[in-house]
Each structure stands twice: as C-alpha cells, then as structure tokens.
C-alpha cells in the first residue's frame, strides 16, 4: 500500500469517528430535552437562576416563584400571532385546572427587552390572565436566562420598514415547586393536554 | 351587493352606537368571493402590532389572489405567515399574495397566514369592530369589518362556541 493511500484511509477513519461523535453528542442533547418532556427525569441541566424585573418594576429571581408550579413561556409583545395563541392556551389550561390553578404561576419572559419594558408588559399581561407575570431585563440578563432554558431568539429586521420581528423557540416549561423543569410543552400542545400534564405532576 | 354593504354599515353602526356587537358570524360577499367572519384580537395600549384572521371562499371557476390590505388602523397592513422551523417560530411577509383556488377556500388563521397590522394607531378593544379593505387581483377591493375577540382567542367566538374561552366562562357563570 502506498503511503498516500494509508494517509487517505487514516483521514477517512478520522472523519467518520469525529462525525459519529458529533452525531452522538447531538442525540444526547436531544434526548435530554425529550426525557424532560416526558417527565422521566427532572435533573437535566435546563433552567437555573436568573435575575430579572417583573411587570410591576420589582427585581425578582427564580427564588420568588418557588413553592408553586410555574409555567414559563418565552415570547414578546410585538408578536400578533404565536405569542397571543400560546398565552391564550396557557390561560385556558389554567381554567381547565379550576381551583387547582392557584398552585400554578404563569410567567412570560420577554426575548425582546428593547421594546418590552416593565410598563409595556404590565399593560399586556393582564389581557391574558389576571395572574400572568411578565419578566424582562437587560439584554445580558435575558441572554443568560434564554441560554439556560435553551431558547433560541434572533432579531429579524425588515429592510422595507422600521419595525423588527423576532424568531424564537416557542417552548412552555413546567417547573415544579422546587424550580426544576418537570416538563416541556411544545408549541401546539392543547390547553387540555397542558392541564392534564400539570395534574400528573401535581399528583407527584 | 348593496344589501351586503348595508349589512356591513349596520354592523359598524351597531359597533359605534353600542360599543359592542353581538358575537355572531358575519360574512361579506362580492362576486364569487365570500369573506367569512374577519376577526382580530384585543391589544394593550402599549402593543403596536395586531393580527386579522378570516376565511376566503371562492365559488367561481377562476382562482383569485389576495394581493394587499388597506387599513387606517395601522401604519402598515401586510400579509404575513407564521412559519414553524422545528421548535422555532418565525414570521415572514408573504411574497406575491395569497392564492384563493377556484371552487375552493383559504383560511387566514392563528399559527399560519394572517393580516398583520403594524404600528397600530388605536388600541383594539374586545367586542369592538373596525373596517379594513382586502385587495384581490380579479375581484378588486372588498371592504370588510373585523370583530375584536379576546387577546388570546384561538378562533372567533361565533365560530366554535364549544371551545371558546369567554363562551365557556359565560356558560359556567350562569
């Protein structure tokens, strides 16, 4: 075998090995989220501490919401379609839970802190649910919490106009009273399904 | 057509006089096109964007195309689509308009294609109404009246009372 052929084979093996490793890593990452979604494990590294400002202007951290279940949605107020739909579904899920809904705190974290000041959020949240909490913060604080929850978001400018929109991951997380992710509710989960998943976790 | 215009005027009048219209379906017919129950969602004063949803039915033998929107309610009225890319949601302008097939229909609904009102000049208040004009390639402009539903409505209250938040609340309150 020529030397160049041997090097060629060696390179090919190396490429395949790296590729396989990468694929494995991706599968594991995907698996974490899937397991969290089905509620099999709760100790995956999603979520974590944050320091933000609520819609009343109060400084808050994740500790403020411990003791209750929390539904966390990442969105923005300049979003006329997906966010109102998702927040409407959260409100319906809480209705579905009846008296048990007091054990659940609905929270929207803005991924558009530039426009979503506490004042803007305070007018917005009450349209959906009397107990919905809006959270915003500095761009850095929002980046930190979005990364912790594996939320992708990106500003998209329209060259024709002066406004912009946001691309964003549309996840609703259910956190247990200890603040751990108990379940991941993907966009399109019906209010009835949401309520049923929350009930399952309430029963333990 | 005059009757339809009259009906639309009546709906507007009811909205202006009563501050609210009863939640019942309303359609606008022009030629072979029927615009079924245009509706929107309540906004906060601070909210500068809103969506309008409706169904377009075409009884004719030729397709038509929704190519534009005009509204005094906002600085810009345009056609947008929400697109799902895995778990990421995106909204993009619809290029080239929305085709309405012959003997068919197209729905502008939450989570899909919709009219986007950008730079709202007025707050959209639940149960109020506002006019907007749909511009079709063949049928030309059709003026319609949109009814404002609750902020988180998934569908118009008149369309599907079984699943409506407010209808459910109203029922349980009786």
């Amino acid at each position: 075998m020529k030397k160049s052929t041997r090097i060629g084979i060696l390179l090919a093996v190396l490429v395949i090995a790296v590729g396989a490793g990468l694929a494995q890593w991706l599968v594991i990452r995907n698996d974490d989220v899937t397991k969290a979604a089905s509620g099999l494990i709760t100790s995956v590294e999603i979520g974590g501490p944050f320091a933000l400002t609520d819609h009343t202007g109060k400084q808050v951290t994740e500790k403020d919401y411990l003791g209750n279940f929390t539904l966390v949605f990442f969105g923005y107020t300049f979003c006329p379609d997906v966010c109102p739909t998702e927040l409407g579904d959260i409100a319906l899920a809480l209705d579905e839970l009846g008296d048990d809904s007091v054990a659940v705190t609905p929270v929207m974290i803005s991924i558009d802190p530039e426009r979503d000041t506490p004042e803007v959020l305070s007018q917005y949240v009450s349209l959906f649910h009397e107990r919905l909490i809006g959270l915003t913060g500095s761009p850095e604080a929002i980046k930190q919490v979005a990364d912790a929850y594996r939320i992708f978001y990106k500003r998209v400018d329209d060259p024709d106009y002066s406004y912009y929109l946001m691309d964003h991951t549309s996840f609703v997380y259910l956190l247990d009273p200890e603040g751990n992710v108990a379940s991941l509710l993907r966009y399109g989960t019906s209010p009835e399904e949401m309520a049923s998943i929350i009930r399952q976790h309430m029963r333990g | 057509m005059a009757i339809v215009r009259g009906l639309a005027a009546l709906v507007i009048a009811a909205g202006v006089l009563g501050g609210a219209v009863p939640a019942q379906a309303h359609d606008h017919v022009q030629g072979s096109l029927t615009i079924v129950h245009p509706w929107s969602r309540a906004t906060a004063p601070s909210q500068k964007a809103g969506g309008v949803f409706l169904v377009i039915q075409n009884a004719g033998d030729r397709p038509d195309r929704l190519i534009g929107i005009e509204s005094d309610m906002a600085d810009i009225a345009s056609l947008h689509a929400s697109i799902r890319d895995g778990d990421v949601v995106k909204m993009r302008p619809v290029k080239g308009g929305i085709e309405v097939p012959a003997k068919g229909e197209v729905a502008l609904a939450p989570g899909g294609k919709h009219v986007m009102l950008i730079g709202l000049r007025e707050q959209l208040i639940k149960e109020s109404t506002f006019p907007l004009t749909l511009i079709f390639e063949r049928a030309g402009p059709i003026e319609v009246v949109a009814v404002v539903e609750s902020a988180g409505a998934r569908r118009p209250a008149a369309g599907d009372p079984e699943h409506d938040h407010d209808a459910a609340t109203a029922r349980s309150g009786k």
Side-chain angles (χ1 to χ4, degrees), chain A residues 76-89 91-92 95 119-121 123-124 127-128 152 154 156 158 160-163 165-171 184 186-192, chain B residues 41-51 53 76-78 80-82 84 87-93 95 109-114 116-119 123 150-154 163-165 169:
Chain A
Y76 67 115
T77 67
F78 199 91
C79 166
D81 183 14
V82 169
C83 305
T85 303
E86 197 74 62
L87 291 171
D89 283 358
L92 279 175
D95 281 1
E119 295 74 34
V120 167
L121 285 175
Q123 294 176 10
Y124 184 75
L127 286 176
F128 297 93
F152 164 86
K154 192 180 85 176
V156 182
D158 188 321
D160 296 337
Y161 305 119
S162 58
Y163 71 92
L165 298 169
M166 304 294 294
D167 289 351
H168 63 106
T169 313
S170 190
F171 281 161
L184 163 65
R186 291 200 148 87
Y187 177 55
T189 305
S190 74
E192 293 77 16
Chain B
R41 286 162 161 169
T43 58
S46 58
Q47 217 180 324
K48 295 302 172 206
F53 311 97
I76 304 163
S78 59
H80 271 71
S82 295
R84 197 172 162 171
D87 286 310
V88 175
V89 286
K90 305 173 173 188
M91 207 161 42
R92 296 288 182 272
K95 306 282 183 203
K113 297 186 181 85
H114 55 272
M116 173 124 170
L117 302 174
I118 299 156
Q123 182 186 2
S150 66
R154 208 171 230 290
H163 291 93
D164 179 65
H165 185 206
T169 311

Side-chain angles (χ1 to χ4, degrees), chain B residues 35-166:
Chain B
I35 315 301
V36 183
H37 199 76
W39 64 284
S40 186
R41 286 162 161 169
T43 58
S46 58
Q47 217 180 324
K48 295 302 172 206
V52 181
F53 311 97
L54 46 89
V55 174
I56 306 162
Q57 294 171 339
N58 182 4
D61 295 326
R62 296 203 300 189
D64 206 334
R65 185 174 285 274
L66 177 60
I67 52 171
I69 304 291
E70 281 173 7
S71 175
D72 290 337
M73 295 299 288
D75 296 340
I76 304 163
S78 59
L79 296 169
H80 271 71
S82 295
I83 301 159
R84 197 172 162 171
D85 178 5
D87 286 310
V88 175
V89 286
K90 305 173 173 188
M91 207 161 42
R92 296 288 182 272
V94 175
K95 306 282 183 203
I98 296 171
E99 180 167 297
V100 190
K103 303 279 184 206
E105 65 172 42
V106 63
L108 275 60
K113 297 186 181 85
H114 55 272
V115 175
M116 173 124 170
L117 302 174
I118 299 156
L120 276 178
R121 293 172 184 157
E122 278 177 53
Q123 182 186 2
L124 303 182
I125 296 173
K126 190 181 161 187
E127 292 179 349
S128 68
T129 61
F130 63 88
L132 73 158
T133 304
L134 311 183
I135 298 159
F136 290 89
E137 207 168 58
R138 288 180 189 280
I142 302 181
E143 190 173 313
V144 303
V145 173
V147 177
V148 182
E149 305 279 354
S150 66
R154 208 171 230 290
R155 52 182 72 76
D160 189 359
E162 286 306 307
H163 291 93
D164 179 65
H165 185 206
D166 303 308

